[in-house]
Amino acid sequence: MSLDLASLLNPEQYKAASQIEGPELIIAGAGSGKTRMITYRIAYMLSKGIDQSEILALTFTNKAAKEMADRVRETVGKKLDKLTTTTFHSFGLGLLKMYIQYLGYRNDFTLYDENDNISLIKNCIVTLGYQLADYNVRTLRDFFSQYKTERIPLPEKGTAVREIYDEWLMTQKAYNVVDFDDLIILPIKIFEKKPEILERVQLRWRYIMVDEFQDTSLLQYKLVSMIAAKYRNIAVVGDDDQSIYSWRGANYQNIVNFEKDFPERKEYRLERNYRSTGNILSAANALIVHNKERKDKKLWTESGEGASISIMRHPTGEEEAMWIATHIRKLMREHHYNFSDFGVLVRTNSLMNTLETTFVESQIPVRVSGGSSFFDRKEIRDMLCFLKILVNENDDNSLLRIINTPRRGIGRTTVERLRRYADEKNTTLHIALEELSAAPEFRESTRKALQDFIKMIHRWKDMVNTPDRLLDTIVQDTCYEAMVREEFPESDKAVAFKMRGIQFLSERLSKYLKEHKDATLRDYLRSVSIIGDENDDDKSMVSLMTMHASKGLEFKVVFLAGIEDHIIPSARALEEDNRNIDEERRLFYVAITRAREKLYINYSDTRRDREGKEKTTLPSRFLEEIPNTLFQNEEKTPEETLKDNISSAKAFLEMLKNKNKK
């Protein structure tokens, strides 16, 4: 097979793809055709006679690894069964299956997930005689992961936490189990203990490629650099400006480490952008240049300047969400976009509820990524089922969900008897419940539970036309909060989070009925149910996601919501370490560069915090770093924009600047 790379790639991509011997550092900016370059680089290696079994390509998700392999196979027209394109953790798992016995484990080891590990830690706490109630086990598990991966120092010997940690490690090995951290740690230990194994692995994979190199941890880099040390045919591809995962161990300084370990490397920069318009790239370039510890690069495009970036100020977060929903509809009418052309990005999960519920109530199908869908949360589904049974007593599925939630002594046997009766009489489960509630074949306690449940339903039905306190009444009558506390005995935060979700649903219901004249509870339930019923295809949905989850994706139109100080940059991140400002800026950079054609930046004057309290807000300080000439206010004509460009935003930014000077 012969490949004419020069005709398939741009000059910078061609240089990077055709250099296949020796170490190589490829700095690939956002939207620069990185995946295309990687695909052709591997294909070019194969065309030059390198055996597919000698090539190892590592990335971070199974989806990315599969896409890489599929594109290479499509390019060369072969199955390539021996080509290794995989994730770091899958690669580590494969090494352990072959060599873990050299560390004293058996080859039939078990891989523990998060829940398995939490259970094991609980057992260790009890075994050592400590009180389980004194520890937040999930937090402890997070610390143990950081200890094990050497991201923070071990606690001193003799402390309870160190004792539990040591007991946990010994128990893992005694049980012949490993966890996900071990998939990277243990292969390194094998290589250090058995150099001959390392040499065998080096001979097996003589050509190595690492995608998204800026996201590697120190240990992941150590693993791959050990394998590459002998033949030194390693190409790493990444962008330090898109390093946004330090909280899970990623270290963009690995680029510096690579330069030290492979001083003979060749270095290439991919700066031509194939995704975004010139104005969007100008904003991204102007922003990221404020980070000093970075590789110098400047994205550029031949696609023209495109539309100005729109910036919108809103009185509240609720009005921001409604404006975005309305504008999505407007753009679809005027420009014939599909729902899938829109991405709505936020910094934190806490901003998603208002946006998602507004979209759903506005009949805009939405897919949530990087956080849980509000309507998929158990407590919300429970509450909606309580409401559904009040407007449609024939809804057997909803009745089955809530008949014993919370537990009220109506068990599986009773439910089966009700269902048989309903089938025999060709009627609904609700009618079976009414007719059998006094049946003599049930125990007295069961009859009472059935009758009490029916009474509650009747009482709630009387409130349907005045629903302001309906959900509060359901929660109180069913003792729902007590059930949640029983489910999360160690976490007041989890209980508060779930109960706030129910309160938020109650507020949305009241707001909907006030804003829609003559609307009923049935209308509201239809508005929040129709999306899930009619839009199973993700391609027909607006994507609502965190900025972190958006990395690697692109949309024709991007709305950034909640672009306010203490949200982006995050107050919590800056409290932990003021140096986190650079990563917060990189995160905003990633969000901006997801947009292909249009970018809308939104902020509000007030916003509800996690406790539901209304707080005054200021625009993000990052907006000061983008030239005003790139912005237009969406509500103004072009002439007005030139005369008074984002004046309202500038006033707030000036306040912020003066505040910082103090």
Side-chain angles (χ1 to χ4, degrees):
M1 180 190 71
S2 177
L3 278 178
D4 182 11
L5 283 186
S7 66
L8 295 167
L9 303 172
N10 70 36
E12 293 77 20
Q13 292 171 334
Y14 168 73
K15 291 175 185 176
S18 59
Q19 171 68 38
I20 59 176
E21 298 288 339
E24 184 178 3
L25 173 60
I26 304 168
I27 304 298
S32 60
K34 175 195 65 173
T35 304
R36 178 180 176 84
M37 184 278 299
I38 291 174
T39 299
Y40 280 114
R41 187 177 188 274
I42 295 175
Y44 185 68
M45 292 166 70
L46 295 170
S47 74
K48 291 299 181 181
I50 296 173
D51 193 279
Q52 59 175 293
S53 64
E54 295 182 311
I55 300 173
L56 170 63
L58 294 169
T59 188
F60 280 86
T61 66
N62 291 322
K63 180 181 178 182
K66 182 180 184 301
E67 180 184 356
M68 186 188 300
D70 289 345
R71 291 181 69 162
V72 174
R73 292 186 184 107
E74 184 180 344
T75 300
V76 302
K78 295 181 180 179
K79 290 185 177 180
L80 302 177
D81 294 333
K82 295 180 181 179
L83 176 68
T84 307
T85 56
T86 187
T87 66
F88 273 92
H89 287 93
S90 294
F91 179 64
L93 179 61
L95 291 175
L96 293 186
K97 287 179 178 178
M98 290 188 286
Y99 304 119
I100 198 171
Q101 67 271 19
Y102 292 104
L103 294 178
Y105 291 80
R106 299 188 308 277
N107 284 90
D108 60 345
F109 63 88
T110 301
L111 178 62
Y112 265 20
D113 63 15
E114 183 77 5
N115 291 327
D116 294 329
N117 252 326
I118 286 172
S119 297
L120 188 58
I121 293 170
K122 287 180 178 179
N123 290 339
C124 292
I125 292 171
V126 173
T127 298
L128 292 171
Y130 294 111
Q131 294 297 313
L132 201 55
D134 293 340
Y135 297 92
N136 184 318
V137 181
R138 290 188 179 275
T139 301
L140 205 58
R141 168 68 187 101
D142 291 340
F143 277 119
F144 285 5
S145 176
Q146 294 182 70
Y147 298 150
K148 186 183 271 193
T149 55
E150 302 174 9
R151 286 154 58 193
I152 58 175
L154 282 170
E156 292 184 8
K157 286 192 174 184
T159 61
V161 171
R162 177 61 182 272
E163 192 177 356
I164 296 168
Y165 175 71
D166 290 341
E167 178 71 17
W168 173 64
L169 290 182
M170 290 187 291
T171 305
Q172 276 191 324
K173 189 162 187 179
Y175 286 7
N176 200 47
V177 302
V178 301
D179 58 31
F180 284 95
D181 292 330
D182 292 323
L183 299 182
I184 307 299
I185 295 167
L186 296 185
I188 292 173
K189 289 184 176 180
I190 293 170
F191 293 162
E192 291 173 338
K193 184 177 181 180
K194 294 285 185 179
E196 65 272 21
I197 299 298
L198 173 58
E199 189 170 353
R200 192 182 306 172
V201 173
Q202 290 171 331
L203 185 63
R204 168 70 168 80
W205 287 287
R206 296 174 60 175
Y207 294 85
I208 301 171
M209 283 196 70
V210 182
D211 189 17
E212 302 288 4
F213 184 62
Q214 77 281 347
D215 294 335
T216 53
S217 68
L218 290 173
L219 286 172
Q220 287 168 334
Y221 172 66
K222 183 176 182 179
L223 174 66
V224 75
S225 62
M226 289 176 78
I227 299 172
K230 183 176 179 67
Y231 295 102
R232 308 186 76 76
N233 297 319
I234 177 171
V236 298
V237 187
D239 180 8
D240 51 343
D241 289 338
Q242 297 187 71
S243 179
I244 58 174
Y245 296 117
S246 65
W247 46 275
R248 68 184 191 195
N251 194 324
Y252 73 97
Q253 288 292 336
N254 278 338
I255 292 177
V256 176
N257 295 333
F258 183 82
E259 292 173 335
K260 291 177 181 176
D261 295 337
F262 298 91
E264 75 276 28
R265 76 199 175 280
K266 297 288 180 64
E267 186 170 321
Y268 304 98
R269 283 176 170 78
L270 308 184
E271 297 172 297
R272 180 178 176 181
N273 180 281
Y274 291 90
R275 176 188 300 156
S276 305
T277 63
N279 281 331
I280 292 169
L281 295 183
S282 294
N285 288 330
L287 173 77
I288 202 63
V289 76
H290 288 80
N291 280 5
K292 302 307 179 187
E293 294 185 15
R294 61 182 288 269
K295 287 280 186 181
D296 184 40
K297 72 185 79 68
K298 188 174 183 180
L299 300 180
W300 61 277
T301 182
E302 292 184 345
S303 65
E305 288 186 354
S308 297
I309 297 168
S310 297
I311 185 165
M312 280 301 299
R313 172 185 175 185
H314 307 277
T316 67
E318 287 78 10
E319 290 175 79
E320 172 191 66
M322 182 53 70
W323 184 89
I324 293 174
T326 302
H327 215 69
I328 287 173
R329 290 288 191 188
K330 178 183 176 185
L331 289 172
M332 291 181 72
R333 288 194 306 270
E334 295 178 354
H335 300 281
H336 306 292
Y337 287 120
N338 298 312
F339 284 121
S340 58
D341 292 326
F342 297 95
V344 182
L345 313 185
V346 295
R347 171 63 180 88
T348 64
N349 290 329
S350 61
L351 299 182
M352 285 189 173
N353 288 356
T354 300
L355 287 159
E356 184 187 7
T357 52
T358 299
F359 291 165
V360 170
E361 292 162 6
S362 302
Q363 303 300 293
I364 293 176
V366 59
R367 172 169 53 104
V368 176
S369 305
S372 60
S373 168
F374 179 74
F375 294 102
D376 282 342
R377 286 159 49 179
K378 179 183 181 301
E379 64 275 13
I380 303 305
R381 293 177 73 86
D382 286 347
M383 290 302 123
L384 289 175
C385 284
F386 278 115
L387 295 178
K388 286 177 181 178
I389 203 65
L390 302 183
V391 300
N392 179 16
E393 61 184 31
N394 297 329
D395 187 346
D396 285 357
N397 288 332
S398 293
L399 184 60
L400 284 170
R401 183 180 180 97
I402 53 100
I403 193 169
N404 202 38
T405 301
R407 289 189 298 272
R408 55 178 60 89
I410 304 175
R412 177 180 56 81
T413 303
T414 304
V415 171
E416 288 176 352
R417 175 71 183 92
L418 292 171
R419 296 194 71 168
R420 282 199 305 272
Y421 182 88
D423 290 341
E424 290 167 3
K425 300 292 185 179
N426 194 25
T427 188
T428 66
L429 197 61
H430 184 272
I431 292 176
L433 175 65
E434 295 267 10
E435 294 181 357
L436 289 183
S437 60
E441 62 262 38
F442 288 136
R443 291 195 304 259
E444 183 179 348
S445 60
T446 302
R447 290 198 299 272
K448 185 177 186 308
L450 293 172
Q451 291 164 8
D452 288 347
F453 183 53
I454 291 170
K455 288 177 184 176
M456 284 194 294
I457 291 177
H458 289 165
R459 181 161 62 251
W460 301 335
K461 280 186 175 181
D462 291 338
M463 300 177 66
V464 163
N465 294 325
T466 55
D468 282 358
R469 289 191 49 79
L470 179 54
L471 279 176
D472 289 342
T473 303
I474 291 173
V475 168
Q476 185 176 347
D477 286 353
T478 60
C479 301
Y480 195 89
E481 184 172 352
M483 181 194 77
V484 175
R485 290 194 177 280
E486 187 178 312
E487 188 177 354
F488 297 94
E490 300 175 12
S491 179
D492 289 339
K493 286 185 177 179
V495 175
F497 173 77
K498 289 181 172 294
M499 299 313 295
R500 278 200 304 272
I502 295 174
Q503 183 60 36
F504 181 78
L505 177 64
S506 180
E507 292 169 1
R508 296 300 303 191
L509 170 59
S510 297
K511 182 173 181 287
Y512 179 90
L513 295 177
K514 286 176 184 175
E515 292 179 352
H516 295 76
K517 190 178 179 181
D518 299 326
T520 64
L521 176 60
R522 186 187 299 273
D523 294 325
Y524 179 76
L525 292 173
R526 282 174 177 165
S527 77
V528 299
S529 298
I530 192 170
I531 300 301
D533 293 340
E534 297 184 359
N535 293 279
D536 295 328
D537 183 1
D538 284 352
K539 292 181 181 178
S540 66
M541 293 182 160
V542 170
S543 292
L544 171 61
M545 60 181 58
T546 61
M547 294 177 181
H548 282 99
S550 73
K551 188 167 175 292
L553 303 177
E554 60 182 62
F555 304 93
K556 288 183 179 179
V557 183
V558 166
F559 292 89
L560 304 182
I563 306 304
E564 296 141 25
D565 232 48
H566 293 196
I567 293 180
I568 177 77
S570 159
R572 181 182 299 179
L574 297 186
E575 284 170 9
E576 291 174 355
D577 189 337
N578 197 50
R579 291 173 295 182
N580 286 338
I581 187 71
D582 283 359
E583 180 154 335
E584 290 292 300
R585 187 178 285 108
R586 291 194 293 269
L587 183 58
F588 193 39
Y589 171 86
V590 166
I592 288 172
T593 54
R594 300 310 94 195
R596 292 169 55 188
E597 299 175 5
K598 297 180 182 295
L599 176 63
Y600 296 86
I601 297 177
N602 297 267
Y603 65 94
S604 68
D605 295 339
T606 63
R607 189 174 299 277
R608 293 192 185 193
D609 62 15
R610 292 177 182 273
E611 281 69 47
K613 297 176 182 175
E614 201 81 21
K615 295 280 184 74
T616 301
T617 61
L618 293 172
S620 170
R621 67 192 72 178
F622 292 148
L623 296 179
E624 287 188 301
E625 299 173 357
I626 301 174
N628 287 346
T629 53
L630 297 175
F631 289 136
Q632 73 171 18
N633 188 306
E634 183 66 19
E635 297 302 311
K636 296 181 181 294
T637 65
E639 292 77 18
E640 290 173 319
T641 300
L642 290 173
K643 183 178 178 182
D644 189 21
N645 199 0
I646 63 163
S647 59
S648 59
K650 283 189 68 178
F652 271 83
L653 294 173
E654 198 64 32
M655 288 172 56
L656 177 62
K657 187 184 294 184
N658 294 333
K659 179 181 176 183
N660 290 339
K661 286 179 181 178
K662 294 177 183 178

